[in-house]
Amino acid sequence: MRVALIGFGNVGRAFADLLRRQRARFPFRIVGVHTRHGTAIDNAGLSAGAELGPAAPTVEEFLDRARPEVAAELTTLNPETGEPAISHIRAAFERGCHVITANKGPIAHAYAALREEARRAGVEFRFESTVMDGAPVFNSVRNNLPGVKVLGFTGALNSTSKIVVAAMRNGKSMEEGVGEAQRMGIAEADAAYDIDGWDSAAKTAALANVLMDARVTPHDVERSGIRRLTPARLRKLAGERKTIVLVSRAHIASGGVRLRVRAEVLEETDIIAAAQGTSNILLLHTDLMGTVGTVSISPGLEQTAYGVFSDLVDIARSL
Ligand SMILES: NC(=O)c1ccc[n+]([C@@H]2O[C@H](COP(=O)([O-])OP(=O)(O)OC[C@H]3O[C@@H](n4cnc5c(N)ncnc54)[C@H](OP(=O)(O)O)[C@@H]3O)[C@@H](O)[C@H]2O)c1
């Protein structure tokens, strides 16, 4: 299968590495890579060390030249608009390409419309790695919880904030904590989106749109981040065996789905607080299955890449 990557940063490179390592089992071929700074296209398949040449002027032109069957949208998150990723995805649909994205912006801002456009184009649209990296959330509900209605959820979904809180509990500054997350490759390109709760709000909106048909955007999420935390406050809470976690919550209320992202004080033994470091936890509150959860222990870029890969394998199997 011919795959083109729009965006070739941490996730794009990890995904390309994973495809190469799995080549003996899965005959996927990367026929093009495109960023604002450079483009590479080889219809026979790009080799590992292929250099990027001059950038194609537009994503449309890149797709027309690379002619992939599947486009992987792996560009930078813009949680306030979801663009330009939404337009990239539409350009791929218009060319009859299946689309996989790790970018939660489009799911948080335009899921219902994009799902309908994919259906009309007769292509698949997958986004497993947008929330909890490679751990199955969307695919798990779709495949393993038939007939279940999701009534709400509770999650600790932003790794960077946890790395920052842990660093500050150890007396380091917020900037030092952000630096640690950046060195791990897990912070958003603009880490303020992690600190101010935008990344969590985008994940919350994405989950609500897909699992609860909420038709919201991150602007509908009541949002506060961890910017006002201090090492002194965290050390005091640590003395009381408490900590602070950036928690996403959703529930059905009169008038629709209510969504909130807030830095909450939790007991250290609270199941939501137990997911430390890059570990993530999501509890789904359902009508028929009670509360059921997914935990991902210390995922890294390889697991995000696996989320994209799992979507690709699933698409290939469905054809
Ligand atoms: N890193 C993680 O752990 C993780 C986990 C789950 C999901 N995600 C999501 O995955 C996506 C990629 O994350 P990342 O860590 O790989 O980001 P990154 O390292 O900042 O890479 C982003 C890539 O997108 C390209 N890009 C940005 N705007 C573009 C545009 N308009 N047209 C074409 N290319 C563009 C960038 O290259 P140029 O600057 O040259 O354009 C770069 O190659 C984000 O949406 C992120 O939220 C990341």
Side-chain angles (χ1 to χ4, degrees), residues 66-91:
R67 292 186 290 107
E69 293 163 277
V70 182
E73 213 294 339
L74 308 173
T75 67
T76 317
L77 169 69
N78 181 335
E80 297 179 62
T81 67
E83 288 288 7
I86 294 172
S87 302
H88 296 165
I89 290 170
R90 288 195 162 127

Side-chain angles (χ1 to χ4, degrees), residues 5-14 33-38 52 59 73-78 83-85 88 101-106 129-134 159 184-190 199 203 299-301 303-305 308:
L5 313 191
I6 308 169
F8 198 50
N10 293 310
V11 177
R13 287 170 196 278
V33 167
H34 174 68
T35 74
R36 286 167 302 188
H37 295 100
L52 299 188
V59 164
E73 213 294 339
L74 308 173
T75 67
T76 317
L77 169 69
N78 181 335
E83 288 288 7
H88 296 165
T101 186
N103 189 331
K104 63 211 78 111
S129 54
T130 56
V131 178
M132 288 189 76
D133 308 296
S159 304
M184 294 164 79
I186 59 163
E188 289 301 328
D190 179 351
D199 171 76
K203 286 172 174 157
L301 276 171
Q303 281 64 54
T304 306
V308 183

Side-chain angles (χ1 to χ4, degrees), residues 15 28 135 153 185 192 211 229 242 260 271 285 296 302 304:
F15 176 57
F28 301 123
F153 56 83
L211 303 180
L229 290 187
K242 291 179 180 164
R260 190 180 87 189
I271 190 168
H285 311 302
S296 177
E302 197 166 337
T304 306

Side-chain angles (χ1 to χ4, degrees), residues 199-232:
D199 171 76
S200 294
K203 286 172 174 157
T204 304
L207 285 167
N209 285 341
V210 179
L211 303 180
M212 302 173 78
D213 197 22
R215 294 167 193 255
V216 294
T217 78
H219 298 283
D220 298 308
V221 180
E222 184 191 321
R223 175 182 57 81
S224 67
I226 61 166
R227 191 169 290 284
R228 283 163 49 198
L229 290 187
T230 60

Side-chain angles (χ1 to χ4, degrees), residues 241-258:
R241 298 195 161 278
K242 291 179 180 164
T243 188
I244 289 204
V245 182
L246 196 54
V247 182
S248 296
R249 292 188 188 271
H251 69 276
I252 295 173
S254 58
V257 178
R258 288 274 288 280

Side-chain angles (χ1 to χ4, degrees), residues 1 9 19 25 32 53 59 99 104 156 192 248 263 266 292-293 308:
M1 238 180 156
L19 286 189
R25 290 174 62 207
V59 164
V99 172
K104 63 211 78 111
S248 296
L266 299 178
V292 59
V308 183

